Amino acid sequence: MRKTPLKPADFKPQAQIFKALGHPGRLLIVDELSRGERCVCELASMVGSEMPTVSRHLSILRNAGIVEDDKRGTQVFYRLMTPCVMNFFQCIKSLKGNAHSP
Amino acid sequence: MRKTPLKPADFKPQAQIFKALGHPGRLLIVDELSRGERCVCELASMVGSEMPTVSRHLSILRNAGIVEDDKRGTQVFYRLMTPCVMNFFQCIKSLKGNAHSP
DNA sequence: CAGCTTATTCGCTAATATGCGAAATATGTC
DNA sequence: GACATATTTCGCATATTAGCGAATAAGCTG
């Protein structure tokens, strides 16, 4: 029961979430967080980037509502807020082989 | 049974797909294609951009394996290859309200 | 408080994405 | 073949993103 035709702007919130996931390093982070919470330094060593870089990635994921942070002492632990993100990984596997280079 | 730790590069194919979906206009296209195939000119008028722009968006979606094209006469019809993309829209709705501005 | 650790914010540069109009490529019509 | 329609490719200007090191903030420990 939609009254008016949808406009691109109507998809901005969803696009923000996809955009947040559209980065290899951030996907690695999400995959890792699907197995439990991790602090920034752990994630940084996994991703192989400097901590400022990873911290920025995490803020992008947090702004998108995908992860949540929890400060305990000097360290900050992040955890995945949306298990359904992982479901989509399965969906993607089915077409992974089709993807071509730009 | 994973032998070596995952690296960001391992998520490049998946990231390409998320990146392709990380744009309001392209999401509108995907949403429209979920209701049936459409030609480029139909999509262009829906999105409200020039045809070259929409054509580029479609090539991005095609390279990611999300849509497929079918040339019939002078026009080219696109159709959605992954219904599961729409499932993720549901998942996203649950956290849409949490998303903040960058 | 000094010093160490962890994390975020800030400037900056390089790379990438976006969108348009012009030009090129079909395909169909007269 | 000339011409109209539908689409893609190209070239360019602008905007956004990525990543680093320096600087900053906050929390422990001695």
Side-chain angles (χ1 to χ4, degrees):
Chain A
M1 263 210 242
R2 188 158 13 84
K3 317 245 180 357
T4 55
L6 289 171
K7 295 173 309 231
D10 297 321
F11 288 91
K12 245 173 142 182
Q14 291 102 320
Q16 188 196 355
I17 292 163
F18 280 112
K19 206 186 299 184
L21 294 169
H23 184 285
R26 291 197 289 268
L27 278 187
L28 175 58
I29 289 173
V30 167
D31 178 71
E32 179 66 14
L33 292 182
S34 74
R35 288 184 286 279
E37 64 175 20
R38 301 283 187 274
C39 69
V40 182
C41 59
E42 286 176 299
L43 295 170
S45 82
M46 285 201 50
V47 174
S49 299
E50 297 303 313
M51 214 184 297
T53 300
V54 174
S55 180
R56 176 183 282 275
H57 284 319
L58 287 166
S59 82
I60 289 170
L61 291 171
R62 175 161 25 81
N63 285 337
I66 297 165
V67 303
E68 213 177 55
D69 64 330
D70 181 19
K71 188 162 194 171
R72 294 204 291 274
T74 50
Q75 32 195 21
V76 180
F77 291 87
Y78 281 83
R79 63 171 173 280
L80 191 59
M81 291 304 287
T82 55
C84 56
V85 169
M86 302 312 294
N87 299 347
F88 198 59
F89 273 43
Q90 296 303 321
C91 160
I92 277 182
K93 269 182 194 151
S94 64
L95 67 150
K96 194 166 59 173
N98 301 344
H100 303 321
S101 303
Chain B
M1 263 215 240
R2 189 156 14 84
K3 318 243 179 2
T4 55
L6 288 170
K7 294 174 310 231
D10 297 321
F11 287 92
K12 244 173 143 181
Q14 292 102 318
Q16 189 195 356
I17 293 164
F18 280 113
K19 206 186 297 186
L21 294 168
H23 183 284
R26 290 197 290 267
L27 279 187
L28 175 58
I29 289 173
V30 167
D31 179 70
E32 179 65 13
L33 292 181
S34 74
R35 288 184 286 278
E37 65 175 20
R38 300 284 187 272
C39 69
V40 183
C41 59
E42 286 176 300
L43 296 169
S45 81
M46 283 200 52
V47 175
S49 299
E50 296 304 312
M51 214 183 300
T53 299
V54 173
S55 180
R56 176 185 282 274
H57 283 319
L58 287 165
S59 83
I60 289 169
L61 291 171
R62 175 160 26 80
N63 285 336
I66 297 165
V67 303
E68 213 177 55
D69 62 330
D70 181 18
K71 186 163 194 168
R72 294 205 291 274
T74 50
Q75 33 192 22
V76 179
F77 290 87
Y78 282 84
R79 64 170 172 281
L80 191 59
M81 292 302 287
T82 55
C84 56
V85 169
M86 302 312 294
N87 299 346
F88 198 59
F89 273 43
Q90 296 302 321
C91 160
I92 277 181
K93 270 183 194 147
S94 64
L95 67 150
K96 194 166 59 173
N98 301 344
H100 303 320
S101 302

